[in-house]
PDB file of all heavy atoms in Angstrom:
ATOM      1  N   ASP Z   1     106.904 124.469  99.783  1.00  0.00           N
ATOM      2  CA  ASP Z   1     105.624 123.832 100.067  1.00  0.00           C
ATOM      3  C   ASP Z   1     105.765 122.325 100.032  1.00  0.00           C
ATOM      4  O   ASP Z   1     106.296 121.772  99.058  1.00  0.00           O
ATOM      5  CB  ASP Z   1     104.578 124.232  99.026  1.00  0.00           C
ATOM      6  CG  ASP Z   1     104.134 125.665  99.156  1.00  0.00           C
ATOM      7  OD1 ASP Z   1     104.248 126.229 100.241  1.00  0.00           O
ATOM      8  OD2 ASP Z   1     103.669 126.211  98.141  1.00  0.00           O
ATOM      9  N   LEU Z   2     105.254 121.680 101.055  1.00  0.00           N
ATOM     10  CA  LEU Z   2     105.175 120.225 101.064  1.00  0.00           C
ATOM     11  C   LEU Z   2     104.108 119.827 100.051  1.00  0.00           C
ATOM     12  O   LEU Z   2     102.950 120.217 100.180  1.00  0.00           O
ATOM     13  CB  LEU Z   2     104.797 119.726 102.463  1.00  0.00           C
ATOM     14  CG  LEU Z   2     104.588 118.232 102.632  1.00  0.00           C
ATOM     15  CD1 LEU Z   2     105.879 117.474 102.354  1.00  0.00           C
ATOM     16  CD2 LEU Z   2     104.088 117.933 104.038  1.00  0.00           C
ATOM     17  N   VAL Z   3     104.499 119.076  99.016  1.00  0.00           N
ATOM     18  CA  VAL Z   3     103.561 118.734  97.950  1.00  0.00           C
ATOM     19  C   VAL Z   3     103.271 117.240  97.853  1.00  0.00           C
ATOM     20  O   VAL Z   3     102.429 116.834  97.063  1.00  0.00           O
ATOM     21  CB  VAL Z   3     104.043 119.251  96.574  1.00  0.00           C
ATOM     22  CG1 VAL Z   3     104.067 120.764  96.558  1.00  0.00           C
ATOM     23  CG2 VAL Z   3     105.377 118.673  96.192  1.00  0.00           C
ATOM     24  N   GLY Z   4     103.953 116.432  98.624  1.00  0.00           N
ATOM     25  CA  GLY Z   4     103.713 115.000  98.575  1.00  0.00           C
ATOM     26  C   GLY Z   4     104.836 114.241  99.244  1.00  0.00           C
ATOM     27  O   GLY Z   4     105.690 114.827  99.915  1.00  0.00           O
ATOM     28  N   PHE Z   5     104.807 112.934  99.054  1.00  0.00           N
ATOM     29  CA  PHE Z   5     105.797 112.052  99.658  1.00  0.00           C
ATOM     30  C   PHE Z   5     106.282 111.051  98.616  1.00  0.00           C
ATOM     31  O   PHE Z   5     105.548 110.692  97.701  1.00  0.00           O
ATOM     32  CB  PHE Z   5     105.194 111.297 100.852  1.00  0.00           C
ATOM     33  CG  PHE Z   5     104.840 112.180 101.999  1.00  0.00           C
ATOM     34  CD1 PHE Z   5     103.616 112.831 102.034  1.00  0.00           C
ATOM     35  CD2 PHE Z   5     105.730 112.388 103.031  1.00  0.00           C
ATOM     36  CE1 PHE Z   5     103.287 113.665 103.090  1.00  0.00           C
ATOM     37  CE2 PHE Z   5     105.417 113.214 104.080  1.00  0.00           C
ATOM     38  CZ  PHE Z   5     104.187 113.859 104.116  1.00  0.00           C
ATOM     39  N   THR Z   6     107.523 110.605  98.784  1.00  0.00           N
ATOM     40  CA  THR Z   6     108.055 109.559  97.925  1.00  0.00           C
ATOM     41  C   THR Z   6     107.395 108.239  98.314  1.00  0.00           C
ATOM     42  O   THR Z   6     106.680 108.169  99.315  1.00  0.00           O
ATOM     43  CB  THR Z   6     109.581 109.441  98.078  1.00  0.00           C
ATOM     44  OG1 THR Z   6     109.882 109.088  99.437  1.00  0.00           O
ATOM     45  CG2 THR Z   6     110.280 110.737  97.702  1.00  0.00           C
ATOM     46  N   THR Z   7     107.653 107.199  97.555  1.00  0.00           N
ATOM     47  CA  THR Z   7     107.062 105.900  97.858  1.00  0.00           C
ATOM     48  C   THR Z   7     107.520 105.373  99.218  1.00  0.00           C
ATOM     49  O   THR Z   7     106.808 104.599  99.844  1.00  0.00           O
ATOM     50  CB  THR Z   7     107.411 104.865  96.772  1.00  0.00           C
ATOM     51  OG1 THR Z   7     108.829 104.817  96.612  1.00  0.00           O
ATOM     52  CG2 THR Z   7     106.755 105.231  95.459  1.00  0.00           C
ATOM     53  N   ASP Z   8     108.698 105.816  99.685  1.00  0.00           N
ATOM     54  CA  ASP Z   8     109.157 105.392 101.012  1.00  0.00           C
ATOM     55  C   ASP Z   8     108.871 106.458 102.076  1.00  0.00           C
ATOM     56  O   ASP Z   8     109.523 106.520 103.103  1.00  0.00           O
ATOM     57  CB  ASP Z   8     110.637 104.994 100.995  1.00  0.00           C
ATOM     58  CG  ASP Z   8     111.553 106.097 100.509  1.00  0.00           C
ATOM     59  OD1 ASP Z   8     111.054 107.117 100.001  1.00  0.00           O
ATOM     60  OD2 ASP Z   8     112.774 105.938 100.641  1.00  0.00           O
ATOM     61  N   ARG Z   9     107.861 107.317 101.808  1.00  0.00           N
ATOM     62  CA  ARG Z   9     107.302 108.291 102.759  1.00  0.00           C
ATOM     63  C   ARG Z   9     108.243 109.436 103.128  1.00  0.00           C
ATOM     64  O   ARG Z   9     108.113 110.038 104.179  1.00  0.00           O
ATOM     65  CB  ARG Z   9     106.810 107.596 104.027  1.00  0.00           C
ATOM     66  CG  ARG Z   9     105.760 106.531 103.806  1.00  0.00           C
ATOM     67  CD  ARG Z   9     104.462 107.016 103.231  1.00  0.00           C
ATOM     68  NE  ARG Z   9     103.830 108.005 104.107  1.00  0.00           N
ATOM     69  CZ  ARG Z   9     102.972 108.924 103.687  1.00  0.00           C
ATOM     70  NH1 ARG Z   9     102.660 109.001 102.432  1.00  0.00           N
ATOM     71  NH2 ARG Z   9     102.440 109.778 104.527  1.00  0.00           N
ATOM     72  N   LYS Z  10     109.169 109.786 102.238  1.00  0.00           N
ATOM     73  CA  LYS Z  10     110.003 110.963 102.471  1.00  0.00           C
ATOM     74  C   LYS Z  10     109.286 112.172 101.885  1.00  0.00           C
ATOM     75  O   LYS Z  10     108.776 112.120 100.765  1.00  0.00           O
ATOM     76  CB  LYS Z  10     111.381 110.794 101.828  1.00  0.00           C
ATOM     77  CG  LYS Z  10     112.195 109.712 102.492  1.00  0.00           C
ATOM     78  CD  LYS Z  10     113.536 109.559 101.832  1.00  0.00           C
ATOM     79  CE  LYS Z  10     114.288 108.415 102.503  1.00  0.00           C
ATOM     80  NZ  LYS Z  10     115.510 108.091 101.791  1.00  0.00           N
ATOM     81  N   PRO Z  11     109.238 113.276 102.622  1.00  0.00           N
ATOM     82  CA  PRO Z  11     108.519 114.446 102.126  1.00  0.00           C
ATOM     83  C   PRO Z  11     109.202 115.082 100.927  1.00  0.00           C
ATOM     84  O   PRO Z  11     110.425 115.054 100.810  1.00  0.00           O
ATOM     85  CB  PRO Z  11     108.519 115.396 103.327  1.00  0.00           C
ATOM     86  CG  PRO Z  11     109.639 114.948 104.189  1.00  0.00           C
ATOM     87  CD  PRO Z  11     109.820 113.487 103.945  1.00  0.00           C
ATOM     88  N   ARG Z  12     108.389 115.656 100.029  1.00  0.00           N
ATOM     89  CA  ARG Z  12     108.883 116.347  98.826  1.00  0.00           C
ATOM     90  C   ARG Z  12     108.334 117.775  98.837  1.00  0.00           C
ATOM     91  O   ARG Z  12     107.182 118.002  99.178  1.00  0.00           O
ATOM     92  CB  ARG Z  12     108.413 115.640  97.562  1.00  0.00           C
ATOM     93  CG  ARG Z  12     108.821 114.186  97.465  1.00  0.00           C
ATOM     94  CD  ARG Z  12     110.176 114.000  96.923  1.00  0.00           C
ATOM     95  NE  ARG Z  12     110.137 114.290  95.491  1.00  0.00           N
ATOM     96  CZ  ARG Z  12     111.201 114.353  94.734  1.00  0.00           C
ATOM     97  NH1 ARG Z  12     112.385 114.160  95.251  1.00  0.00           N
ATOM     98  NH2 ARG Z  12     111.109 114.612  93.459  1.00  0.00           N
ATOM     99  N   TYR Z  13     109.176 118.704  98.431  1.00  0.00           N
ATOM    100  CA  TYR Z  13     108.832 120.119  98.461  1.00  0.00           C
ATOM    101  C   TYR Z  13     109.070 120.754  97.095  1.00  0.00           C
ATOM    102  O   TYR Z  13     109.980 120.371  96.388  1.00  0.00           O
ATOM    103  CB  TYR Z  13     109.704 120.863  99.478  1.00  0.00           C
ATOM    104  CG  TYR Z  13     109.535 120.369 100.888  1.00  0.00           C
ATOM    105  CD1 TYR Z  13     110.245 119.270 101.354  1.00  0.00           C
ATOM    106  CD2 TYR Z  13     108.655 121.002 101.752  1.00  0.00           C
ATOM    107  CE1 TYR Z  13     110.086 118.811 102.642  1.00  0.00           C
ATOM    108  CE2 TYR Z  13     108.496 120.549 103.053  1.00  0.00           C
ATOM    109  CZ  TYR Z  13     109.207 119.452 103.487  1.00  0.00           C
ATOM    110  OH  TYR Z  13     109.048 118.990 104.772  1.00  0.00           O
ATOM    111  N   ARG Z  14     108.281 121.771  96.793  1.00  0.00           N
ATOM    112  CA  ARG Z  14     108.570 122.632  95.654  1.00  0.00           C
ATOM    113  C   ARG Z  14     109.071 123.957  96.212  1.00  0.00           C
ATOM    114  O   ARG Z  14     108.798 124.313  97.364  1.00  0.00           O
ATOM    115  CB  ARG Z  14     107.343 122.856  94.779  1.00  0.00           C
ATOM    116  CG  ARG Z  14     106.278 123.689  95.473  1.00  0.00           C
ATOM    117  CD  ARG Z  14     105.109 123.958  94.583  1.00  0.00           C
ATOM    118  NE  ARG Z  14     104.092 124.667  95.370  1.00  0.00           N
ATOM    119  CZ  ARG Z  14     103.077 125.292  94.855  1.00  0.00           C
ATOM    120  NH1 ARG Z  14     102.894 125.279  93.555  1.00  0.00           N
ATOM    121  NH2 ARG Z  14     102.208 125.911  95.624  1.00  0.00           N
ATOM    122  N   CYS Z  15     109.803 124.695  95.409  1.00  0.00           N
ATOM    123  CA  CYS Z  15     110.367 125.974  95.833  1.00  0.00           C
ATOM    124  C   CYS Z  15     109.634 127.111  95.118  1.00  0.00           C
ATOM    125  O   CYS Z  15     109.521 127.105  93.896  1.00  0.00           O
ATOM    126  CB  CYS Z  15     111.861 126.025  95.506  1.00  0.00           C
ATOM    127  SG  CYS Z  15     112.630 127.585  95.965  1.00  0.00           S
ATOM    128  N   ILE Z  16     109.167 128.059  95.908  1.00  0.00           N
ATOM    129  CA  ILE Z  16     108.500 129.249  95.392  1.00  0.00           C
ATOM    130  C   ILE Z  16     109.376 130.457  95.704  1.00  0.00           C
ATOM    131  O   ILE Z  16     109.833 130.630  96.837  1.00  0.00           O
ATOM    132  CB  ILE Z  16     107.123 129.461  96.062  1.00  0.00           C
ATOM    133  CG1 ILE Z  16     106.251 128.216  95.962  1.00  0.00           C
ATOM    134  CG2 ILE Z  16     106.424 130.704  95.508  1.00  0.00           C
ATOM    135  CD1 ILE Z  16     105.833 127.837  94.587  1.00  0.00           C
ATOM    136  N   TYR Z  17     109.636 131.274  94.709  1.00  0.00           N
ATOM    137  CA  TYR Z  17     110.351 132.536  94.892  1.00  0.00           C
ATOM    138  C   TYR Z  17     109.349 133.673  94.754  1.00  0.00           C
ATOM    139  O   TYR Z  17     108.569 133.690  93.797  1.00  0.00           O
ATOM    140  CB  TYR Z  17     111.447 132.702  93.833  1.00  0.00           C
ATOM    141  CG  TYR Z  17     112.649 131.838  94.077  1.00  0.00           C
ATOM    142  CD1 TYR Z  17     112.777 130.589  93.484  1.00  0.00           C
ATOM    143  CD2 TYR Z  17     113.675 132.275  94.907  1.00  0.00           C
ATOM    144  CE1 TYR Z  17     113.889 129.800  93.702  1.00  0.00           C
ATOM    145  CE2 TYR Z  17     114.795 131.493  95.134  1.00  0.00           C
ATOM    146  CZ  TYR Z  17     114.889 130.259  94.530  1.00  0.00           C
ATOM    147  OH  TYR Z  17     115.998 129.486  94.762  1.00  0.00           O
ATOM    148  N   VAL Z  18     109.368 134.607  95.697  1.00  0.00           N
ATOM    149  CA  VAL Z  18     108.481 135.765  95.649  1.00  0.00           C
ATOM    150  C   VAL Z  18     109.347 137.017  95.619  1.00  0.00           C
ATOM    151  O   VAL Z  18     110.174 137.231  96.515  1.00  0.00           O
ATOM    152  CB  VAL Z  18     107.529 135.802  96.861  1.00  0.00           C
ATOM    153  CG1 VAL Z  18     106.613 137.015  96.782  1.00  0.00           C
ATOM    154  CG2 VAL Z  18     106.719 134.510  96.953  1.00  0.00           C
ATOM    155  N   LEU Z  19     109.171 137.827  94.567  1.00  0.00           N
ATOM    156  CA  LEU Z  19     109.941 139.062  94.446  1.00  0.00           C
ATOM    157  C   LEU Z  19     109.473 140.068  95.492  1.00  0.00           C
ATOM    158  O   LEU Z  19     108.276 140.286  95.664  1.00  0.00           O
ATOM    159  CB  LEU Z  19     109.781 139.667  93.054  1.00  0.00           C
ATOM    160  CG  LEU Z  19     110.410 138.876  91.908  1.00  0.00           C
ATOM    161  CD1 LEU Z  19     110.093 139.543  90.581  1.00  0.00           C
ATOM    162  CD2 LEU Z  19     111.911 138.769  92.108  1.00  0.00           C
ATOM    163  N   ASN Z  20     110.420 140.679  96.194  1.00  0.00           N
ATOM    164  CA  ASN Z  20     110.081 141.665  97.225  1.00  0.00           C
ATOM    165  C   ASN Z  20     109.378 142.876  96.634  1.00  0.00           C
ATOM    166  O   ASN Z  20     108.435 143.400  97.222  1.00  0.00           O
ATOM    167  CB  ASN Z  20     111.340 142.119  97.975  1.00  0.00           C
ATOM    168  CG  ASN Z  20     111.935 141.020  98.830  1.00  0.00           C
ATOM    169  OD1 ASN Z  20     111.303 140.005  99.087  1.00  0.00           O
ATOM    170  ND2 ASN Z  20     113.159 141.219  99.251  1.00  0.00           N
ATOM    171  N   GLU Z  21     109.846 143.340  95.474  1.00  0.00           N
ATOM    172  CA  GLU Z  21     109.343 144.576  94.897  1.00  0.00           C
ATOM    173  C   GLU Z  21     107.914 144.465  94.374  1.00  0.00           C
ATOM    174  O   GLU Z  21     107.099 145.349  94.559  1.00  0.00           O
ATOM    175  CB  GLU Z  21     110.267 145.025  93.771  1.00  0.00           C
ATOM    176  CG  GLU Z  21     110.013 146.440  93.296  1.00  0.00           C
ATOM    177  CD  GLU Z  21     111.085 146.886  92.330  1.00  0.00           C
ATOM    178  OE1 GLU Z  21     112.227 147.095  92.777  1.00  0.00           O
ATOM    179  OE2 GLU Z  21     110.758 147.021  91.140  1.00  0.00           O
ATOM    180  N   SER Z  22     107.597 143.355  93.728  1.00  0.00           N
ATOM    181  CA  SER Z  22     106.292 143.246  93.071  1.00  0.00           C
ATOM    182  C   SER Z  22     105.380 142.193  93.689  1.00  0.00           C
ATOM    183  O   SER Z  22     104.215 142.118  93.328  1.00  0.00           O
ATOM    184  CB  SER Z  22     106.486 142.894  91.592  1.00  0.00           C
ATOM    185  OG  SER Z  22     107.021 141.586  91.470  1.00  0.00           O
ATOM    186  N   SER Z  23     105.900 141.359  94.569  1.00  0.00           N
ATOM    187  CA  SER Z  23     105.167 140.234  95.163  1.00  0.00           C
ATOM    188  C   SER Z  23     104.772 139.176  94.142  1.00  0.00           C
ATOM    189  O   SER Z  23     103.939 138.323  94.421  1.00  0.00           O
ATOM    190  CB  SER Z  23     103.933 140.710  95.929  1.00  0.00           C
ATOM    191  OG  SER Z  23     104.316 141.550  96.978  1.00  0.00           O
ATOM    192  N   GLU Z  24     105.365 139.223  92.935  1.00  0.00           N
ATOM    193  CA  GLU Z  24     105.092 138.194  91.942  1.00  0.00           C
ATOM    194  C   GLU Z  24     105.750 136.895  92.396  1.00  0.00           C
ATOM    195  O   GLU Z  24     106.890 136.892  92.853  1.00  0.00           O
ATOM    196  CB  GLU Z  24     105.635 138.597  90.573  1.00  0.00           C
ATOM    197  CG  GLU Z  24     105.285 137.592  89.492  1.00  0.00           C
ATOM    198  CD  GLU Z  24     105.735 138.008  88.101  1.00  0.00           C
ATOM    199  OE1 GLU Z  24     106.320 139.093  87.950  1.00  0.00           O
ATOM    200  OE2 GLU Z  24     105.498 137.227  87.166  1.00  0.00           O
ATOM    201  N   ALA Z  25     105.030 135.786  92.268  1.00  0.00           N
ATOM    202  CA  ALA Z  25     105.526 134.487  92.709  1.00  0.00           C
ATOM    203  C   ALA Z  25     105.916 133.625  91.510  1.00  0.00           C
ATOM    204  O   ALA Z  25     105.247 133.631  90.481  1.00  0.00           O
ATOM    205  CB  ALA Z  25     104.468 133.774  93.542  1.00  0.00           C
ATOM    206  N   PHE Z  26     107.013 132.892  91.678  1.00  0.00           N
ATOM    207  CA  PHE Z  26     107.570 132.018  90.651  1.00  0.00           C
ATOM    208  C   PHE Z  26     107.793 130.632  91.244  1.00  0.00           C
ATOM    209  O   PHE Z  26     108.249 130.515  92.376  1.00  0.00           O
ATOM    210  CB  PHE Z  26     108.931 132.532  90.171  1.00  0.00           C
ATOM    211  CG  PHE Z  26     108.893 133.869  89.512  1.00  0.00           C
ATOM    212  CD1 PHE Z  26     108.795 135.025  90.261  1.00  0.00           C
ATOM    213  CD2 PHE Z  26     108.972 133.969  88.131  1.00  0.00           C
ATOM    214  CE1 PHE Z  26     108.768 136.267  89.648  1.00  0.00           C
ATOM    215  CE2 PHE Z  26     108.946 135.210  87.513  1.00  0.00           C
ATOM    216  CZ  PHE Z  26     108.844 136.366  88.279  1.00  0.00           C
ATOM    217  N   VAL Z  27     107.534 129.594  90.474  1.00  0.00           N
ATOM    218  CA  VAL Z  27     107.865 128.238  90.889  1.00  0.00           C
ATOM    219  C   VAL Z  27     109.151 127.837  90.171  1.00  0.00           C
ATOM    220  O   VAL Z  27     109.347 128.143  88.996  1.00  0.00           O
ATOM    221  CB  VAL Z  27     106.720 127.234  90.606  1.00  0.00           C
ATOM    222  CG1 VAL Z  27     106.447 127.080  89.121  1.00  0.00           C
ATOM    223  CG2 VAL Z  27     107.010 125.881  91.246  1.00  0.00           C
ATOM    224  N   LEU Z  28     110.038 127.182  90.896  1.00  0.00           N
ATOM    225  CA  LEU Z  28     111.310 126.744  90.323  1.00  0.00           C
ATOM    226  C   LEU Z  28     111.081 125.513  89.446  1.00  0.00           C
ATOM    227  O   LEU Z  28     110.480 124.527  89.890  1.00  0.00           O
ATOM    228  CB  LEU Z  28     112.302 126.413  91.437  1.00  0.00           C
ATOM    229  CG  LEU Z  28     113.711 126.051  90.986  1.00  0.00           C
ATOM    230  CD1 LEU Z  28     114.388 127.243  90.308  1.00  0.00           C
ATOM    231  CD2 LEU Z  28     114.535 125.590  92.186  1.00  0.00           C
ATOM    232  N   VAL Z  29     111.550 125.613  88.201  1.00  0.00           N
ATOM    233  CA  VAL Z  29     111.419 124.502  87.253  1.00  0.00           C
ATOM    234  C   VAL Z  29     112.803 124.079  86.782  1.00  0.00           C
ATOM    235  O   VAL Z  29     113.788 124.796  86.968  1.00  0.00           O
ATOM    236  CB  VAL Z  29     110.530 124.874  86.039  1.00  0.00           C
ATOM    237  CG1 VAL Z  29     109.100 125.150  86.477  1.00  0.00           C
ATOM    238  CG2 VAL Z  29     111.100 126.044  85.265  1.00  0.00           C
ATOM    239  N   THR Z  30     112.868 122.925  86.152  1.00  0.00           N
ATOM    240  CA  THR Z  30     114.126 122.421  85.633  1.00  0.00           C
ATOM    241  C   THR Z  30     114.663 123.321  84.531  1.00  0.00           C
ATOM    242  O   THR Z  30     113.897 123.977  83.827  1.00  0.00           O
ATOM    243  CB  THR Z  30     113.962 120.994  85.077  1.00  0.00           C
ATOM    244  OG1 THR Z  30     112.947 121.016  84.068  1.00  0.00           O
ATOM    245  CG2 THR Z  30     113.578 120.010  86.172  1.00  0.00           C
ATOM    246  N   THR Z  31     115.979 123.338  84.391  1.00  0.00           N
ATOM    247  CA  THR Z  31     116.620 124.149  83.361  1.00  0.00           C
ATOM    248  C   THR Z  31     116.442 123.521  81.990  1.00  0.00           C
ATOM    249  O   THR Z  31     116.157 124.205  81.014  1.00  0.00           O
ATOM    250  CB  THR Z  31     118.116 124.321  83.675  1.00  0.00           C
ATOM    251  OG1 THR Z  31     118.228 124.962  84.952  1.00  0.00           O
ATOM    252  CG2 THR Z  31     118.819 125.152  82.633  1.00  0.00           C
TER     253      THR Z  31
END
């Protein structure tokens, strides 16, 4: 998902994982 832009107008995205079996959605976070 496009969630915003950097100060120099480069697009930023978050990553969503959706499990095929349950359709549960997860957002990728830092380790």
